[in-house]
Amino acid sequence: MDRPPPTAPLSLRRRLVRPAASLLAVAAAAGPWALGGAGAGWAAACGAAAAAALLALVDRLHGALRDAEHEMLACREEAARHDAEWRAYCAAQDARREETVRHLAEVRFPAALAGEPVPAAQPPEAEESVARWHEKLLVSGAQVLRNVREREESLRLVVVALSRRVQASSHRIQEEMAGMEARHPHLPDVAESGMRGDHAAAQQARIAQSLAVLCGEWPGQQWQKPHALVDVVRAGASRIVSYQRVKVSGDQDVAAAATVVEPLVHVVAELLANATQCAPPTTHVEVTVRPVTRGAVIEIDDAGLGMDEYTLDRAREIASGKRLLGFADLGEVPQTGLAVVGRYAERHDLKIDLMPSPYGGVRAVVLVPDALLHTLEPAGVPASRQPGPDTGDAPSAGGPGPGRAE
């Protein structure tokens, strides 16, 4: 807090100067008369003159002191005014700089990171050196982000290339298994070994395809015609380890369009893999296919322990495609199943939900909209027949389904 100017002591001293000077002047004039003598008159005259001179000098000193006091008070008032103006200026500059930095952090820096045109500073930075550092910060941040994205893209391309190699290798293994069975049709051991090898290759291809999907790539093999949803479920079951535990029932006339057969096979395979892994090995996984008002649904029920409410809500967000996961979100022990399902759901507008199952575990519901469905004629593909891709690069992508194993 500013102290008030000490005017009271100065005024008091100024008021005491004149009486003291008058007293000294009287004493100087009366001194010779008190002593007496021949030269008392002359001495008195000289004392009176000295007293008058002293009083005049005191008056001038008093006036100078008064002027000095007024000047000092004016200087103090001027200093206080300048101090208030400086404080106000500093506060305004701080507020302006704070607004500039806020605009930099909330608008300009995100625009630079997103690769968009960077707007001008609002309000402009008053110091040119600080403004230059702001620009350097924007350039450096954008460069760092570009480097990170380039490394991520390089990693993505590497993972996609490796997954494609694994898929191609799996398809060659399936071709070899099929050729071996064809060369030895009367040897049961050879047929069983071929089936097991084909099945293992199908699981390997599914894992490789999951990695490609998480990288934003999609299945290369295409189907030439619609296939019944029950056959789609069986094809998905053929890509998991415990396919014997999957029991399929439902409408055999509802078929998926050729463009979504492979995505549905992969989605069902991942959901069945989760269901068989989370349920006791002695239980079955019940799958039901039925038409509904807006399309057709595939219901998958397991008899596992189920999930708590928090875990189920999180899994539902991932499986429905509302929360897309990448490699960095999978954790140290990666669980790719629901992440892959969510990618397909978001891409093909599949409605996928998870809920408690009446069998005690979890029920997964896949709603295939009408736009992705066809109705098969009575003389269509038999339900017991396994769908297989019509392209030559993956003749056994469906793998040895349960129908073949039976």
Side-chain angles (χ1 to χ4, degrees):
M1 180 183 294
D2 296 335
R3 296 181 179 179
T7 58
L10 291 176
S11 300
L12 179 62
R13 289 196 295 268
R14 188 180 63 187
R15 287 196 298 270
L16 292 178
V17 167
R18 181 180 290 274
S22 300
L23 182 60
L24 289 176
V26 170
W33 293 100
L35 294 176
W42 176 251
C46 292
L54 178 61
L55 288 176
L57 178 60
V58 168
D59 286 337
R60 295 195 61 180
L61 291 176
H62 182 267
L65 180 62
R66 183 176 61 250
D67 294 341
E69 183 179 353
H70 290 165
E71 184 177 357
M72 181 182 64
L73 292 177
C75 290
R76 286 183 177 179
E77 293 177 356
E78 183 71 12
R81 185 176 63 81
H82 283 300
D83 181 70
E85 292 178 354
W86 174 252
R87 291 177 183 273
Y89 173 79
C90 291
Q93 289 298 107
D94 290 342
R96 177 190 178 93
R97 182 166 287 111
E98 181 179 355
E99 179 63 20
T100 301
V101 174
R102 186 199 63 79
H103 185 259
L104 173 69
E106 296 181 358
V107 179
R108 304 184 71 205
F109 200 70
L113 296 183
E116 301 174 354
V118 180
Q122 294 294 335
E125 176 58 47
E127 297 290 338
E128 294 185 2
S129 59
V130 177
R132 286 196 299 268
W133 281 111
H134 286 179
E135 298 301 325
K136 289 182 180 180
L137 176 63
L138 294 175
V139 173
S140 300
Q143 183 60 43
V144 169
L145 183 62
R146 281 194 296 270
N147 295 339
V148 171
R149 288 178 175 174
E150 289 176 0
R151 287 195 295 268
E152 289 180 349
E153 180 63 14
S154 299
L155 177 61
R156 188 189 73 84
L157 294 177
V158 168
V159 174
V160 170
L162 293 177
S163 66
R164 294 307 188 201
R165 291 182 183 180
V166 173
Q167 281 185 292
S169 175
S170 302
H171 295 157
R172 287 195 298 270
I173 293 174
Q174 290 177 312
E175 292 176 0
E176 293 296 331
M177 294 298 102
M180 182 178 65
E181 294 179 47
R183 289 192 298 270
H184 305 281
H186 304 297
L187 297 178
D189 292 341
V190 173
E192 182 178 358
S193 299
M195 182 194 69
R196 291 179 179 177
D198 193 296
H199 187 209
Q203 297 176 64
Q204 177 178 296
R206 176 175 65 87
I207 295 174
Q209 184 168 308
S210 296
L211 295 178
V213 170
L214 290 178
C215 290
E217 299 292 331
W218 306 103
Q221 62 266 33
Q222 297 293 330
W223 302 69
Q224 300 299 322
K225 59 182 179 180
H227 285 277
L229 287 181
V230 290
D231 288 342
V232 169
V233 174
R234 292 190 177 98
S238 70
R239 301 184 185 183
I240 68 173
V241 176
S242 303
Y243 64 88
Q244 302 93 336
R245 295 167 52 194
V246 178
K247 303 299 180 182
V248 187
S249 62
D251 196 323
Q252 301 181 5
D253 297 332
V254 180
T259 55
V260 294
V261 170
E262 180 58 30
L264 280 175
V265 170
H266 198 176
V267 166
V268 171
E270 296 295 345
L271 294 176
L272 290 177
N274 285 347
T276 54
Q277 291 171 5
C278 297
T282 57
T283 61
H284 295 291
V285 175
E286 303 290 339
V287 183
T288 304
V289 177
R290 58 188 179 89
V292 293
T293 303
R294 297 184 179 181
V297 295
I298 303 173
E299 295 179 345
I300 302 173
D301 289 282
D302 66 69
L305 297 177
M307 302 180 185
D308 60 76
E309 185 176 354
Y310 172 78
T311 306
L312 185 61
D313 289 341
R314 181 177 181 275
R316 183 183 291 115
E317 288 184 1
I318 297 173
S320 63
K322 296 179 180 178
R323 180 181 177 184
L324 298 179
L325 299 184
F327 283 112
D329 306 313
L330 298 180
E332 296 181 358
V333 182
Q335 301 291 334
T336 61
L338 293 181
V340 172
V341 170
R343 294 273 181 165
Y344 279 119
E346 193 271 338
R347 178 176 175 83
H348 296 284
D349 196 26
L350 302 175
K351 309 301 180 183
I352 300 177
D353 195 9
L354 302 177
M355 62 191 68
S357 171
Y359 298 97
V362 175
R363 167 175 288 180
V365 180
V366 181
L367 171 61
V368 185
D370 278 324
L372 303 178
L373 293 177
H374 289 274
T375 301
L376 296 179
E377 298 296 333
V381 180
S384 60
R385 179 180 176 183
Q386 287 299 307
D390 296 312
T391 56
D393 60 340
S396 303
R404 179 178 178 181
E406 292 171 357

